[in-house]
Short mmCIF file of all heavy atoms in Angstrom, two decimals:
data_model
loop_
_atom_site.label_atom_id
_atom_site.label_comp_id
_atom_site.label_asym_id
_atom_site.label_seq_id
_atom_site.Cartn_x
_atom_site.Cartn_y
_atom_site.Cartn_z
N LEU A 1 103.23 105.11 82.87
CA LEU A 1 102.09 104.26 83.20
C LEU A 1 100.84 104.71 82.45
O LEU A 1 99.98 103.89 82.11
CB LEU A 1 101.84 104.28 84.71
CG LEU A 1 102.86 103.53 85.57
CD1 LEU A 1 102.55 103.71 87.04
CD2 LEU A 1 102.88 102.04 85.21
N GLY A 2 100.75 106.02 82.19
CA GLY A 2 99.63 106.50 81.41
C GLY A 2 99.60 105.92 80.01
O GLY A 2 98.52 105.71 79.43
N GLU A 3 100.77 105.62 79.44
CA GLU A 3 100.83 104.98 78.13
C GLU A 3 100.23 103.58 78.18
O GLU A 3 99.69 103.09 77.19
CB GLU A 3 102.29 104.90 77.67
CG GLU A 3 102.92 106.24 77.34
CD GLU A 3 102.31 106.85 76.09
OE1 GLU A 3 102.15 106.13 75.09
OE2 GLU A 3 101.98 108.05 76.12
N VAL A 4 100.36 102.93 79.35
CA VAL A 4 99.78 101.59 79.51
C VAL A 4 98.29 101.68 79.80
O VAL A 4 97.47 100.96 79.20
CB VAL A 4 100.50 100.84 80.65
CG1 VAL A 4 99.84 99.49 80.91
CG2 VAL A 4 101.97 100.66 80.33
N MET A 5 97.92 102.57 80.71
CA MET A 5 96.53 102.66 81.14
C MET A 5 95.63 103.27 80.07
O MET A 5 94.44 102.93 80.00
CB MET A 5 96.43 103.49 82.43
CG MET A 5 97.10 102.85 83.62
SD MET A 5 96.87 103.89 85.10
CE MET A 5 97.60 102.84 86.36
N ALA A 6 96.16 104.18 79.29
CA ALA A 6 95.35 104.87 78.29
C ALA A 6 96.03 104.78 76.93
O ALA A 6 96.59 105.76 76.43
CB ALA A 6 95.14 106.33 78.69
N PRO A 7 96.01 103.61 76.30
CA PRO A 7 96.68 103.44 75.00
C PRO A 7 96.07 104.35 73.95
O PRO A 7 94.88 104.64 73.96
CB PRO A 7 96.46 101.96 74.68
CG PRO A 7 95.27 101.55 75.50
CD PRO A 7 95.32 102.37 76.74
N ARG A 8 96.93 104.79 73.02
CA ARG A 8 96.51 105.77 72.01
C ARG A 8 95.66 105.15 70.91
O ARG A 8 94.93 105.84 70.22
CB ARG A 8 97.75 106.42 71.40
CG ARG A 8 98.59 107.21 72.39
CD ARG A 8 99.77 107.87 71.70
NE ARG A 8 100.68 106.90 71.11
CZ ARG A 8 101.68 106.32 71.76
NH1 ARG A 8 101.88 106.60 73.03
NH2 ARG A 8 102.48 105.45 71.15
N SER A 9 95.78 103.84 70.71
CA SER A 9 95.04 103.17 69.64
C SER A 9 94.85 101.71 70.02
O SER A 9 95.48 101.20 70.95
CB SER A 9 95.80 103.28 68.31
OG SER A 9 97.03 102.55 68.40
N ARG A 10 94.02 101.01 69.25
CA ARG A 10 93.81 99.58 69.52
C ARG A 10 95.09 98.78 69.22
O ARG A 10 95.39 97.80 69.90
CB ARG A 10 92.64 99.06 68.68
CG ARG A 10 91.32 99.74 69.05
CD ARG A 10 90.11 99.02 68.49
NE ARG A 10 88.89 99.71 68.84
CZ ARG A 10 88.28 99.65 70.02
NH1 ARG A 10 88.80 98.90 70.98
NH2 ARG A 10 87.17 100.32 70.24
N TRP A 11 95.85 99.24 68.23
CA TRP A 11 97.13 98.58 67.95
C TRP A 11 98.08 98.75 69.13
O TRP A 11 98.76 97.81 69.55
CB TRP A 11 97.75 99.18 66.70
CG TRP A 11 99.08 98.55 66.36
CD1 TRP A 11 99.31 97.48 65.57
CD2 TRP A 11 100.37 98.97 66.84
NE1 TRP A 11 100.64 97.17 65.52
CE2 TRP A 11 101.33 98.08 66.30
CE3 TRP A 11 100.81 100.00 67.67
CZ2 TRP A 11 102.68 98.19 66.56
CZ3 TRP A 11 102.16 100.12 67.93
CH2 TRP A 11 103.08 99.22 67.38
N HIS A 12 98.11 99.96 69.69
CA HIS A 12 98.96 100.24 70.86
C HIS A 12 98.52 99.37 72.03
O HIS A 12 99.37 98.80 72.75
CB HIS A 12 98.86 101.73 71.21
CG HIS A 12 99.79 102.16 72.28
ND1 HIS A 12 99.57 103.28 73.05
CD2 HIS A 12 100.96 101.62 72.73
CE1 HIS A 12 100.56 103.42 73.92
NE2 HIS A 12 101.41 102.43 73.74
N ALA A 13 97.21 99.24 72.25
CA ALA A 13 96.69 98.41 73.34
C ALA A 13 97.09 96.95 73.16
O ALA A 13 97.48 96.27 74.12
CB ALA A 13 95.18 98.55 73.44
N ALA A 14 97.00 96.45 71.93
CA ALA A 14 97.36 95.06 71.66
C ALA A 14 98.85 94.83 71.89
O ALA A 14 99.26 93.79 72.42
CB ALA A 14 96.98 94.70 70.23
N ALA A 15 99.67 95.81 71.53
CA ALA A 15 101.12 95.67 71.74
C ALA A 15 101.45 95.63 73.23
O ALA A 15 102.30 94.84 73.67
CB ALA A 15 101.84 96.84 71.07
N ILE A 16 100.76 96.43 74.01
CA ILE A 16 101.02 96.46 75.46
C ILE A 16 100.62 95.13 76.10
O ILE A 16 101.38 94.55 76.88
CB ILE A 16 100.26 97.63 76.11
CG1 ILE A 16 100.88 98.96 75.68
CG2 ILE A 16 100.26 97.50 77.64
CD1 ILE A 16 100.07 100.17 76.08
N SER A 17 99.42 94.64 75.78
CA SER A 17 98.97 93.38 76.39
C SER A 17 99.86 92.22 75.94
O SER A 17 100.17 91.31 76.73
CB SER A 17 97.51 93.11 76.04
OG SER A 17 97.34 92.97 74.64
N GLY A 18 100.33 92.25 74.70
CA GLY A 18 101.23 91.21 74.22
C GLY A 18 102.55 91.23 74.95
O GLY A 18 103.11 90.17 75.30
N PHE A 19 103.06 92.42 75.21
CA PHE A 19 104.32 92.55 75.95
C PHE A 19 104.18 91.96 77.35
O PHE A 19 105.04 91.22 77.81
CB PHE A 19 104.72 94.02 76.03
CG PHE A 19 105.86 94.28 76.98
CD1 PHE A 19 107.17 93.98 76.61
CD2 PHE A 19 105.63 94.82 78.24
CE1 PHE A 19 108.22 94.22 77.49
CE2 PHE A 19 106.67 95.05 79.12
CZ PHE A 19 107.97 94.76 78.74
N PHE A 20 103.08 92.27 78.04
CA PHE A 20 102.91 91.77 79.40
C PHE A 20 102.70 90.26 79.43
O PHE A 20 103.14 89.59 80.36
CB PHE A 20 101.76 92.49 80.10
CG PHE A 20 102.16 93.79 80.73
CD1 PHE A 20 102.04 94.99 80.04
CD2 PHE A 20 102.69 93.82 82.01
CE1 PHE A 20 102.42 96.19 80.62
CE2 PHE A 20 103.09 95.01 82.59
CZ PHE A 20 102.95 96.20 81.89
N ARG A 21 102.06 89.72 78.41
CA ARG A 21 101.92 88.26 78.36
C ARG A 21 103.28 87.60 78.19
O ARG A 21 103.56 86.54 78.78
CB ARG A 21 100.98 87.86 77.22
CG ARG A 21 99.50 88.10 77.53
CD ARG A 21 98.61 87.35 76.57
NE ARG A 21 98.76 87.84 75.20
CZ ARG A 21 98.02 88.83 74.67
NH1 ARG A 21 97.10 89.42 75.41
NH2 ARG A 21 98.20 89.22 73.43
N LEU A 22 104.15 88.22 77.41
CA LEU A 22 105.50 87.70 77.24
C LEU A 22 106.29 87.80 78.54
O LEU A 22 107.00 86.86 78.94
CB LEU A 22 106.22 88.48 76.13
CG LEU A 22 107.69 88.13 75.89
CD1 LEU A 22 107.81 86.67 75.42
CD2 LEU A 22 108.30 89.07 74.85
N VAL A 23 106.16 88.92 79.22
CA VAL A 23 106.89 89.15 80.47
C VAL A 23 106.54 88.09 81.50
O VAL A 23 107.39 87.68 82.31
CB VAL A 23 106.57 90.56 81.01
CG1 VAL A 23 106.91 90.70 82.48
CG2 VAL A 23 107.32 91.62 80.20
N ALA A 24 105.32 87.62 81.50
CA ALA A 24 104.89 86.62 82.49
C ALA A 24 105.71 85.35 82.43
O ALA A 24 105.76 84.59 83.40
CB ALA A 24 103.41 86.30 82.29
N HIS A 25 106.39 85.11 81.30
CA HIS A 25 107.18 83.89 81.15
C HIS A 25 108.67 84.12 81.37
O HIS A 25 109.47 83.21 81.19
CB HIS A 25 106.96 83.31 79.74
CG HIS A 25 105.53 82.95 79.46
ND1 HIS A 25 104.91 81.85 80.03
CD2 HIS A 25 104.60 83.56 78.69
CE1 HIS A 25 103.66 81.79 79.61
NE2 HIS A 25 103.44 82.82 78.80
N VAL A 26 109.02 85.34 81.76
CA VAL A 26 110.43 85.67 82.03
C VAL A 26 110.53 86.11 83.48
O VAL A 26 110.24 87.27 83.79
CB VAL A 26 110.92 86.79 81.08
CG1 VAL A 26 112.41 87.05 81.31
CG2 VAL A 26 110.63 86.43 79.63
N PRO A 27 110.90 85.20 84.39
CA PRO A 27 110.85 85.51 85.84
C PRO A 27 111.49 86.82 86.25
O PRO A 27 110.86 87.58 87.01
CB PRO A 27 111.55 84.30 86.46
CG PRO A 27 111.26 83.18 85.51
CD PRO A 27 111.30 83.81 84.15
N PRO A 28 112.70 87.18 85.80
CA PRO A 28 113.26 88.46 86.25
C PRO A 28 112.40 89.66 85.85
O PRO A 28 112.19 90.57 86.65
CB PRO A 28 114.63 88.51 85.56
CG PRO A 28 114.98 87.08 85.31
CD PRO A 28 113.68 86.42 84.97
N LEU A 29 111.90 89.65 84.60
CA LEU A 29 111.03 90.74 84.17
C LEU A 29 109.69 90.70 84.89
O LEU A 29 109.15 91.73 85.28
CB LEU A 29 110.80 90.66 82.65
CG LEU A 29 111.91 91.22 81.76
CD1 LEU A 29 111.58 90.96 80.31
CD2 LEU A 29 112.09 92.72 82.02
N ARG A 30 109.16 89.48 85.06
CA ARG A 30 107.88 89.35 85.78
C ARG A 30 107.99 89.94 87.17
O ARG A 30 107.12 90.71 87.61
CB ARG A 30 107.52 87.86 85.86
CG ARG A 30 106.21 87.59 86.62
CD ARG A 30 106.13 86.10 86.95
NE ARG A 30 107.23 85.71 87.84
CZ ARG A 30 107.73 84.49 87.91
NH1 ARG A 30 107.29 83.54 87.12
NH2 ARG A 30 108.71 84.22 88.75
N ASP A 31 109.07 89.62 87.89
CA ASP A 31 109.22 90.13 89.25
C ASP A 31 109.49 91.63 89.26
O ASP A 31 109.13 92.33 90.22
CB ASP A 31 110.36 89.39 89.96
CG ASP A 31 110.03 87.93 90.22
OD1 ASP A 31 108.83 87.59 90.17
OD2 ASP A 31 110.95 87.14 90.47
N TYR A 32 110.12 92.14 88.22
CA TYR A 32 110.37 93.57 88.12
C TYR A 32 109.05 94.34 88.17
O TYR A 32 108.93 95.36 88.86
CB TYR A 32 111.12 93.87 86.83
CG TYR A 32 111.35 95.33 86.54
CD1 TYR A 32 112.39 96.02 87.16
CD2 TYR A 32 110.53 96.03 85.65
CE1 TYR A 32 112.61 97.36 86.89
CE2 TYR A 32 110.75 97.37 85.38
CZ TYR A 32 111.79 98.03 86.00
OH TYR A 32 111.99 99.36 85.73
N PHE A 33 108.06 93.84 87.44
CA PHE A 33 106.75 94.49 87.44
C PHE A 33 105.91 94.07 88.65
O PHE A 33 105.24 94.90 89.26
CB PHE A 33 106.01 94.19 86.14
CG PHE A 33 106.60 94.86 84.94
CD1 PHE A 33 107.41 94.16 84.07
CD2 PHE A 33 106.36 96.20 84.71
CE1 PHE A 33 107.98 94.78 82.97
CE2 PHE A 33 106.92 96.84 83.60
CZ PHE A 33 107.74 96.13 82.74
N LEU A 34 105.96 92.79 88.99
CA LEU A 34 105.12 92.29 90.08
C LEU A 34 105.44 92.98 91.39
O LEU A 34 104.54 93.31 92.18
CB LEU A 34 105.32 90.78 90.22
CG LEU A 34 104.30 90.02 91.07
CD1 LEU A 34 102.92 90.07 90.44
CD2 LEU A 34 104.75 88.57 91.25
N GLN A 35 106.73 93.22 91.66
CA GLN A 35 107.14 93.81 92.92
C GLN A 35 107.34 95.33 92.84
O GLN A 35 107.91 95.94 93.73
CB GLN A 35 108.44 93.15 93.40
CG GLN A 35 108.32 91.67 93.69
CD GLN A 35 107.29 91.39 94.78
OE1 GLN A 35 107.13 92.17 95.71
NE2 GLN A 35 106.60 90.27 94.65
N MET A 36 106.87 95.94 91.77
CA MET A 36 106.94 97.39 91.60
C MET A 36 108.37 97.91 91.65
O MET A 36 108.64 99.00 92.15
CB MET A 36 106.09 98.11 92.66
CG MET A 36 104.61 98.17 92.36
SD MET A 36 103.72 99.18 93.56
CE MET A 36 104.37 100.81 93.23
N LYS A 37 109.30 97.13 91.12
CA LYS A 37 110.68 97.60 91.09
C LYS A 37 110.88 98.73 90.09
O LYS A 37 111.92 99.39 90.08
CB LYS A 37 111.61 96.43 90.77
CG LYS A 37 111.64 95.36 91.86
CD LYS A 37 112.57 94.21 91.49
CE LYS A 37 112.58 93.15 92.58
NZ LYS A 37 113.47 92.00 92.22
N PHE A 38 109.88 98.97 89.25
CA PHE A 38 109.96 100.06 88.28
C PHE A 38 109.75 101.42 88.95
O PHE A 38 110.05 102.46 88.37
CB PHE A 38 108.91 99.87 87.17
CG PHE A 38 107.51 99.67 87.69
CD1 PHE A 38 106.73 100.74 88.05
CD2 PHE A 38 106.98 98.39 87.81
CE1 PHE A 38 105.44 100.57 88.52
CE2 PHE A 38 105.68 98.19 88.28
CZ PHE A 38 104.92 99.29 88.64
N LYS A 39 109.22 101.43 90.17
CA LYS A 39 109.03 102.70 90.88
C LYS A 39 110.40 103.25 91.29
O LYS A 39 111.19 102.55 91.91
CB LYS A 39 108.18 102.50 92.13
CG LYS A 39 107.95 103.77 92.93
CD LYS A 39 107.20 103.48 94.22
CE LYS A 39 107.10 104.72 95.09
NZ LYS A 39 106.46 104.44 96.40
N PRO A 40 110.72 104.51 90.93
CA PRO A 40 112.03 105.06 91.29
C PRO A 40 112.27 104.98 92.79
O PRO A 40 111.43 105.38 93.60
CB PRO A 40 111.93 106.52 90.83
CG PRO A 40 110.90 106.51 89.75
CD PRO A 40 109.90 105.46 90.15
N LYS A 41 113.42 104.44 93.17
CA LYS A 41 113.76 104.31 94.57
C LYS A 41 114.00 105.69 95.17
O LYS A 41 114.52 106.59 94.51
CB LYS A 41 115.02 103.46 94.74
CG LYS A 41 114.88 102.04 94.24
CD LYS A 41 114.17 101.16 95.26
CE LYS A 41 115.09 100.77 96.39
NZ LYS A 41 114.44 99.82 97.31
N PRO A 42 113.61 105.87 96.43
CA PRO A 42 113.93 107.15 97.08
C PRO A 42 115.44 107.29 97.22
O PRO A 42 116.08 106.55 97.98
CB PRO A 42 113.23 107.03 98.44
CG PRO A 42 112.99 105.56 98.66
CD PRO A 42 112.85 104.96 97.31
N ARG A 43 116.02 108.22 96.46
CA ARG A 43 117.47 108.37 96.44
C ARG A 43 117.83 109.82 96.15
O ARG A 43 117.30 110.41 95.21
CB ARG A 43 118.07 107.46 95.36
CG ARG A 43 119.60 107.58 95.19
CD ARG A 43 120.30 106.91 96.34
NE ARG A 43 121.75 107.12 96.32
CZ ARG A 43 122.62 106.21 95.84
NH1 ARG A 43 122.16 105.08 95.30
NH2 ARG A 43 123.89 106.44 95.90
#
């Protein structure tokens, strides 16, 4: 998440924002991030 919150360069920041804009149009990926499914499950 630090790679997203604190991008190393303006190119890196643009790549991250572009990825998330793309994800918004793919429901399974959108929900993966929207519902915090990326957080490791307690296991």
Side-chain angles (χ1 to χ4, degrees):
L1 288 176
E3 292 291 315
V4 176
M5 294 182 175
R8 298 182 297 273
S9 65
R10 297 194 181 281
W11 179 90
H12 187 203
I16 290 170
S17 62
F19 170 77
F20 275 93
R21 283 196 296 270
L22 176 64
V23 162
H25 300 287
V26 184
L29 279 175
R30 179 194 62 207
D31 293 342
Y32 176 80
F33 290 101
L34 193 65
Q35 297 301 325
M36 279 186 67
K37 294 179 180 179
F38 53 82
K39 179 185 174 184
K41 297 280 283 185
R43 177 74 186 262

